[in-house]
Amino acid sequence: MPPLWEAIQAKVDQMIVQIGDKSPHVAPPDTGKYDDMRHDWWTAGFWPGILWIMYDLTGKPHYREKAWSWDERFEQKSVQDNNFHHDVGFQYLPTAVVKYKLTGDQAGRRRGLAAANFLAGRYNMAGKFLRAWNQDKTGWSIVDSSMNLSLLFWAAEEIKDPRFDMIARAHADTVVEHFIRPDGSVNHIVSFDPYTGEVIESLGGQGAGPDSSWSRGAAWALHGMANTYRYTQDKKYLHAAQRVAHYFLAMLPDDSVPHWDFRAAESLVDEPRDTSAGSCAASGLLELADALPPVQGRPYREAAERIMLGLTRHYGVWDKPDYEAILTCGTGNKPADSNIDVSLIYGDYYYVETLAKLLGWKNRIF
């Protein structure tokens, strides 16, 4: 493990120089250069999140310096354009909240609490779900928001206000009931009647179809429900995470790196992989391992290690100095023919997060 950790430090130091002030999301394989998205884009928190993990593990000030201003940028851009949405957890947990946890920065605390308050405001009481997106999708909710619940749980603990905890648990209950199927596969989008709360339909979203099995959606659910158990100690969330984990692991190919959708075709041989689903699931598996007695948790830890081994050996970029990302072969949205076989900043983030956990990192961002 130490040689890989040394390689990651060298890689992230290289990325700091190459990425500069960009807000990275996607790096195509032909150039290996990350794009520069708007600073309130849903993925904008993952690069500073990597930097904060590196700072926490090493104490080296240059990681802190490069990560410091990101939550301020989010706040300025979001207020300016009124572009708040359901993914404030992905934005503010790896920036404002972790900055406050590690440094005591009060501005970070304020921004994190404001984001939690906004997220709580998206709660639909009839359907008991957090609304996704804006515009006309009033009754839509997505499995991705399983990860954003950590923002509400943190706020509940931070200011001793149970409202945030209640909303987070209610949405988590909806995930267990309407998103996680009996076999452990998941729905990406569920549409509710926003007035009665009744389920209208499940939608394929970024999966191959309404009844398919989008692997990153499974990773969001696995990790998110494991996190929810850590905050609540309610075993129904632990069991939900285990159900998804067992399905996910049963569907993995020989190198333990998932295809983008486990039901995309009768044969998955020619289907793209999604390394971001693999790295996120690996981090979630380690949460499961930590939640259980050592003997029961060992299979989940070993599974996470196998995924990391597959990612490192077959999809890690270690020999290209000009390549700005850590992992290749991520799949963003195949049904929309968007970002296929690319590097994705959230895949890189969860790879670093998983490695940090394997090295004994005790703090948590999500």
Side-chain angles (χ1 to χ4, degrees):
M1 193 62 73
L4 178 57
W5 175 236
E6 292 168 7
I8 283 294
Q9 289 187 71
K11 183 69 174 179
V12 174
D13 286 348
Q14 170 189 311
M15 292 167 71
I16 287 173
V17 175
Q18 295 167 328
I19 290 174
D21 289 330
K22 291 193 299 185
S23 176
H25 176 200
V26 175
D30 55 339
T31 67
K33 306 294 183 186
Y34 265 122
D35 57 2
D36 184 13
M37 297 299 290
R38 54 187 292 165
H39 283 192
D40 58 350
W41 189 243
W42 78 272
T43 62
F46 290 109
W47 169 235
I50 291 173
L51 296 172
W52 280 117
I53 292 174
M54 299 300 293
Y55 171 69
D56 195 22
L57 283 175
T58 68
K60 294 181 178 179
H62 68 289
Y63 296 125
R64 167 178 161 155
E65 291 166 7
K66 293 297 181 182
W68 187 267
S69 65
W70 276 94
D71 57 321
E72 183 179 356
R73 298 184 210 180
F74 291 160
E75 182 180 52
Q76 291 175 347
K77 186 67 175 173
S78 297
V79 170
Q80 174 186 331
D81 294 346
N82 193 27
N83 194 40
F84 291 101
H85 46 73
H86 61 280
D87 276 333
V88 289
F90 281 135
Q91 294 171 314
Y92 287 89
L93 283 167
T95 56
V97 176
V98 71
K99 179 166 78 171
Y100 165 64
K101 288 180 178 178
L102 297 181
T103 72
D105 181 69
Q106 291 299 305
R109 180 181 186 270
R110 175 184 60 77
R111 293 183 184 112
L113 291 173
N117 200 45
F118 173 83
L119 184 59
R122 299 185 71 84
Y123 179 66
N124 181 295
M125 291 184 288
K128 299 181 180 179
F129 65 85
L130 293 169
R131 174 187 173 180
W133 299 304
N134 298 320
Q135 291 83 44
D136 59 343
K137 300 177 177 65
T138 312
W140 284 22
S141 187
I142 59 175
V143 73
D144 315 38
S145 286
S146 303
M147 295 297 295
N148 290 308
L149 298 181
S150 295
L151 180 65
L152 298 177
F153 286 124
W154 166 77
E157 291 180 352
E158 183 63 25
I159 61 173
K160 304 297 185 285
D161 189 335
R163 294 176 305 147
F164 295 107
D165 181 90
M166 293 172 184
I167 290 171
R169 287 176 187 249
H171 181 83
D173 289 346
T174 298
V175 170
V176 172
E177 182 177 0
H178 295 300
F179 284 85
I180 300 175
R181 301 171 185 142
D183 68 352
S185 63
V186 306
N187 296 309
H188 181 199
I189 302 170
V190 177
S191 173
F192 299 85
D193 183 311
Y195 296 98
T196 68
E198 294 181 5
V199 173
I200 298 173
E201 60 181 335
S202 297
L203 303 168
Q206 289 174 242
D211 298 318
S212 72
S213 181
W214 181 46
S215 61
R216 193 163 70 251
W220 294 141
L222 191 171
H223 199 333
M225 290 300 99
N227 295 343
T228 299
Y229 174 71
R230 171 161 43 86
Y231 281 105
T232 66
Q233 296 299 296
D234 188 327
K235 289 196 173 179
K236 66 183 170 185
Y237 306 125
L238 174 66
H239 296 157
Q242 289 178 297
R243 190 161 79 246
V244 179
H246 298 166
Y247 173 86
F248 190 97
L249 295 175
M251 300 302 292
L252 291 179
D254 289 343
D255 66 0
S256 294
V257 177
H259 294 87
W260 74 280
D261 190 304
F262 296 126
R263 295 177 185 158
E266 186 172 340
S267 172
L268 295 176
V269 173
D270 297 323
E271 293 294 324
R273 302 301 182 96
D274 184 10
T275 52
S276 74
S279 61
C280 179
S283 184
L285 288 166
L286 293 178
E287 290 299 323
L288 272 180
D290 287 346
L292 295 163
V295 173
Q296 296 177 31
R298 187 181 65 243
Y300 299 113
R301 179 170 296 275
E302 291 175 348
E305 291 172 348
R306 289 195 299 272
I307 293 172
M308 286 292 284
L309 184 63
L311 292 170
T312 303
R313 284 183 173 176
H314 303 297
Y315 303 97
V317 184
W318 312 111
D319 57 351
K320 298 179 180 179
D322 295 332
Y323 204 96
E324 295 180 1
I326 299 171
L327 297 176
T328 61
C329 296
T331 298
N333 189 343
K334 191 172 186 294
D337 196 28
S338 173
N339 299 327
I340 301 167
D341 286 331
V342 298
S343 297
L344 297 165
I345 192 62
Y346 43 91
D348 288 355
Y349 168 82
Y350 284 107
Y351 181 87
V352 173
E353 181 180 86
T354 304
L355 181 59
K357 291 177 181 179
L358 288 171
L359 289 170
W361 180 55
K362 296 305 181 185
N363 284 320
R364 291 293 182 265
I365 287 180
F366 287 94

